[in-house]
Amino acid sequence: MANAMLLPVLISFLVLPFSAMALTQDFCVADLSCSDTPAGYPCKTGVGAGDFYYHGLAAAGNTSNLIKAAVTPAFVGQFPGVNGLGISAARLDIAVGGVVPMHTHPAASELLFVTEGTILAGFISSSSNTVYTKTLYKGDIMVFPQGLLHYQYNGGSSSAVALVAFSGPNPGLQITDYALFANNLPSAVVEKVTFLDDAQVKKLKSVLGGSG
Amino acid sequence: MANAMLLPVLISFLVLPFSAMALTQDFCVADLSCSDTPAGYPCKTGVGAGDFYYHGLAAAGNTSNLIKAAVTPAFVGQFPGVNGLGISAARLDIAVGGVVPMHTHPAASELLFVTEGTILAGFISSSSNTVYTKTLYKGDIMVFPQGLLHYQYNGGSSSAVALVAFSGPNPGLQITDYALFANNLPSAVVEKVTFLDDAQVKKLKSVLGGSG
Amino acid sequence: MANAMLLPVLISFLVLPFSAMALTQDFCVADLSCSDTPAGYPCKTGVGAGDFYYHGLAAAGNTSNLIKAAVTPAFVGQFPGVNGLGISAARLDIAVGGVVPMHTHPAASELLFVTEGTILAGFISSSSNTVYTKTLYKGDIMVFPQGLLHYQYNGGSSSAVALVAFSGPNPGLQITDYALFANNLPSAVVEKVTFLDDAQVKKLKSVLGGSG
Amino acid sequence: MANAMLLPVLISFLVLPFSAMALTQDFCVADLSCSDTPAGYPCKTGVGAGDFYYHGLAAAGNTSNLIKAAVTPAFVGQFPGVNGLGISAARLDIAVGGVVPMHTHPAASELLFVTEGTILAGFISSSSNTVYTKTLYKGDIMVFPQGLLHYQYNGGSSSAVALVAFSGPNPGLQITDYALFANNLPSAVVEKVTFLDDAQVKKLKSVLGGSG
Amino acid sequence: MANAMLLPVLISFLVLPFSAMALTQDFCVADLSCSDTPAGYPCKTGVGAGDFYYHGLAAAGNTSNLIKAAVTPAFVGQFPGVNGLGISAARLDIAVGGVVPMHTHPAASELLFVTEGTILAGFISSSSNTVYTKTLYKGDIMVFPQGLLHYQYNGGSSSAVALVAFSGPNPGLQITDYALFANNLPSAVVEKVTFLDDAQVKKLKSVLGGSG
Amino acid sequence: MANAMLLPVLISFLVLPFSAMALTQDFCVADLSCSDTPAGYPCKTGVGAGDFYYHGLAAAGNTSNLIKAAVTPAFVGQFPGVNGLGISAARLDIAVGGVVPMHTHPAASELLFVTEGTILAGFISSSSNTVYTKTLYKGDIMVFPQGLLHYQYNGGSSSAVALVAFSGPNPGLQITDYALFANNLPSAVVEKVTFLDDAQVKKLKSVLGGSG
């Protein structure tokens, strides 16, 4: 009987006072066809469950390369559902002997979780150039503060896999070697600002496809 | 005489060095015809005093429903002038015996100010599930931290009215009963994730218009 | 029977996995005995419902003064429960003929809600010095963007009362007249930086208790 | 020879101009013995590599309870190294038939990565009470926007494990059932603000250890 | 030989795993042809080195006016490269006897660096109306907190020049005299909200081009 | 006469309603004797004008070293007045032939203003490793986005001086060479994560005082 009474009244409650709030922003799935803004992409319309789901980290990345490693991102560009939510992810696959070279993420801190194998990881502080390193086994986590140089490499005898999460939807990835050698920054300038020898610079420029 | 001297010079001062600053963003009234972004709507052009003014909270909401209550929002969707300003408002009307059911605002803290009557209000902390309750009379204020479950109901013998302010332009409103029962989430799932009995779930699904 | 089964198991659920999360920060009531930080005060311990409640806005402020107005704050200094929550409040009482003089809030936007009487309010944009004014009646709201000069005065024939909410726990209040005349800034400097006449500056310095 | 020349000069470079910058804040490992602040804990001194490492998620949580699930947090309280870095983590273990009940995180968005088994997960939007659900297999990720009700349960025939990352160091966890039934909120109030039947409320209060 | 081996492998590394990250947002040069948003302008495409460079502060501003001063802005409107980067700049030229009148920046703190001459500067706190003043010589810096009234004038016998930096890309500039007298705010209102005399208000309205 | 009337009333206005707001936080000068927090240092008491002033950039840094350059910081550690204000500064002195080596600021964007001489500057984007370079003359400004590798060197025939401003009070400075070679990170690890030759690594480790 309470039920019978409740029915018509709650329904009117349902449709009346809260119907005006249709613009509430619970989330803002990126419309990648629009220009980005400093706070992220404009929100797409017509959102479904699939927008909050990403399958692209399920498969191992291809580590058949010299570094024997692959970084598979789930940043806003690949996974638009993280837009505006302050988080994103990536998968690391590192074969035996493989390495994710020294790099920074200019726009996020990183939290690494080892799901397979053994990873040696480290980061370097800016003030005192102190090195913080750990050997990480399956189930271990390590955090790398935003903007600091860090690296990971396989420290074991089998493939290593890690999930990494970032404190922003678009963390960026600046690999030092690429920044120095994989572009047209003249060798003389590279040498001047790094104190590296000319032969070293030209060698790595050649390897990484840089010019100048 | 000083006046006469001042006139031509200050006017040139007026029109010269600061004329370049026409793009200064003092405010950003929402252009609701554009897509939202994670930081709010793009700014409309042609702003006037009316954009910073809202009349919609002046009239009592209709409490002729079972909950005997009405929430009248002045969020960015109704009051575009608050876009980007970190604040919004709403009006609560609660008739005798009325209630604003258990709910959260995912995107803002709430400050409630009683303008008429008596309101019993409470919120529940997340860690220890501690209940914080107060009986509020005309002129009293209470604050509800962002994202925590809270409720208000009329604790007196006359209508109660409150102005509530939010720490963001689009606070959201998630009423627990609606989230659980007013949609197509299957009853079996609701029961699994809430431990509620099947009869209870189906009764409220029926009342609130849910299916499944 | 299900109940009997449920009992021992859920209780173990209760005490086991989540007991480690006692440090969750749902709120951070200010410990005003500590030094402030750029993000607000350190959190006090031993919080109760009273910490989220404030009675100080219930009584009218004393308007028996020349401006015939009173501002009663519920900022973090008076209402420590708003610390870290991005919101605070104040009460304005403006007698007939009274005025809240031209002022800014350096650290918050303001949302004004008229609860009694008629208030004439306005603010001035920074780029074009455009004036935005409205006559506000009971139930009307107006928003004043952060940092911009604004004012309110009683525009009716009875007392006016407003609740104002701020987009921060410590909005600040810089009344232009006080900043110019109620301190020891030398008259010659005031005149140089405002183009006011010497007699005008000295008159208001005298009235407001300034020196120099 | 260049080396010999370089040596004395660079060392003086090393010790001179940058020695003044010892206070640079690359990170801020929480000193949990201090009071928290709205932006996190004060920074501890004497930081080492171990402060950025956490082993506590390596072992499975104990799922020998009715919900057949365990949440093992690596929030700032367990893993002080994430303080101020905008990220934290947790491990979910869900046995066959197990469930993480309907809950919210008031202070962070969540990104879930399945490392073993099959998880059925869903969240509910605030405005339209729309349900977004997915069946997640090993390697899949799903994101749950801040403050919205969501749940996870094992949808397969073997144990499921997930790593979850949060967009803040102290996300909070408010389980709806605990908030409603595991405290001293009087049954009459629970019923009033949830429309649940008295028998249902008292049953769950009894099970979850609530009183009143 | 190592080089020969390295070449093909690293190039495949170069083009494979990271090629998917083309949407990384290192910067967001303003597209001023789009509508602004609360977080800044949408990002333009086709960015070059020139977008991060600005020549407009190299030349002295024209101080042939009564205030004998000029403010040359490099805000986002003039220098779109600062969009989203939390910083901007301006150049002050103050001839002998010149002054930058009492003003605020509603949306940023200011850091002033004297490059030529002597500048007397001060700001006024909001709570206690305390005046903080310094005489600044070449090479000195002073910081002015966001939203507080401040001023600068030439305190020496030669021209003064300063570079000022702001903690935001669009700081705004509200000159008190302009806000009060250079618009159509009626004299009666100005007098009511400032306690200035009618003659004073009308004199400055006349000088600064105000009406009413 | 109006003056005489005004006097007693305004003074009561002065001392009454606003006296309660003594805790307003206009600024938060760092108390460097306290522990830092993620949002900056606790605020010191007893603040004076000198706290907002810094003389330490007035004198040229000592460039009698190999890099022929000096960076003189005015970060929160040297200039506590910038705490919480989102800005700081530094002075660059670069002798003929001098260089500020490749580096990042993990926690701020940089705006550089040339006050003497000619500076060649550049930064490198993270996604495409694109180089953005400019030759900067006196009065030119350039902006370097947060966290990206950049460098400056003297491109002229006389000493160069620049003022740099940062979008935060504690920007950090990570010089790539120092991070790689001026600590105890083993040479084998450096080589593995940078692809530099062993001889090159050992040479620079020797020069910069590194071990391992």
Side-chain angles (χ1 to χ4, degrees), chain A residues 32 35-41 62 64-67 69-73 75-78 99-101 106-107 170-173 175 177-178 182 202-204 206-209, chain E residues 2-29 31 34 37-45 83-85:
Chain A
L32 296 177
S35 292
D36 203 359
T37 77
Y41 287 88
N62 183 355
S64 298
N65 51 43
L66 180 65
I67 62 160
V71 178
T72 309
F75 298 172
V76 67
Q78 295 80 38
V99 61
V100 181
N170 211 350
L173 169 58
I175 302 173
D177 265 27
Y178 279 55
K202 286 186 170 145
K203 177 179 172 186
L204 284 168
S206 163
V207 168
L208 288 163
Chain E
N3 195 343
M5 263 178 56
L6 212 56
L7 183 60
V9 203
L10 267 188
I11 284 181
S12 68
F13 161 64
L14 175 68
V15 297
L16 279 181
F18 304 113
S19 61
M21 280 178 271
L23 286 164
T24 293
Q25 189 195 56
D26 289 323
F27 40 71
C28 179
V29 177
D31 182 346
C34 293
T37 78
Y41 287 88
C43 316
K44 69 172 268 192
T45 54
N83 190 50
L85 297 185

Side-chain angles (χ1 to χ4, degrees), chain C residues 34-194:
Chain C
C34 293
S35 293
D36 204 358
T37 78
Y41 287 89
C43 317
K44 69 173 267 193
T45 54
V47 168
D51 289 302
F52 302 99
Y53 161 85
Y54 190 59
H55 181 65
L57 304 191
N62 183 355
T63 61
S64 297
N65 50 43
L66 181 67
I67 62 159
K68 298 177 179 166
V71 178
T72 309
F75 298 173
V76 68
Q78 295 80 38
F79 184 18
V82 297
N83 190 51
L85 297 185
I87 201 159
S88 63
R91 173 187 176 132
L92 304 186
D93 289 279
I94 316 180
V96 176
V99 61
V100 181
M102 191 70 86
H103 64 283
T104 64
H105 304 287
S109 293
E110 171 181 338
L111 189 148
L112 182 148
F113 175 79
V114 179
T115 58
E116 290 178 32
T118 302
I119 292 178
L120 276 76
F123 74 86
I124 302 163
S125 75
S126 79
S127 53
S128 56
N129 303 298
T130 305
V131 182
Y132 299 87
T133 61
K134 290 299 283 185
T135 302
L136 306 170
Y137 302 98
K138 183 175 178 174
D140 287 349
I141 58 176
M142 185 170 177
V143 68
F144 305 90
Q146 182 170 348
L148 297 185
L149 283 166
H150 61 288
Y151 62 86
Q152 292 104 8
Y153 62 89
N154 191 326
S157 54
S158 62
S159 291
V161 183
L163 177 77
V164 291
F166 297 96
S167 66
N170 211 351
L173 168 59
Q174 183 163 53
I175 302 173
T176 307
D177 265 27
Y178 280 55
L180 296 178
F181 307 119
N183 49 39
N184 62 350
L185 186 62
S187 295
V189 175
V190 176
E191 291 156 27
K192 185 166 191 62
V193 302
T194 62

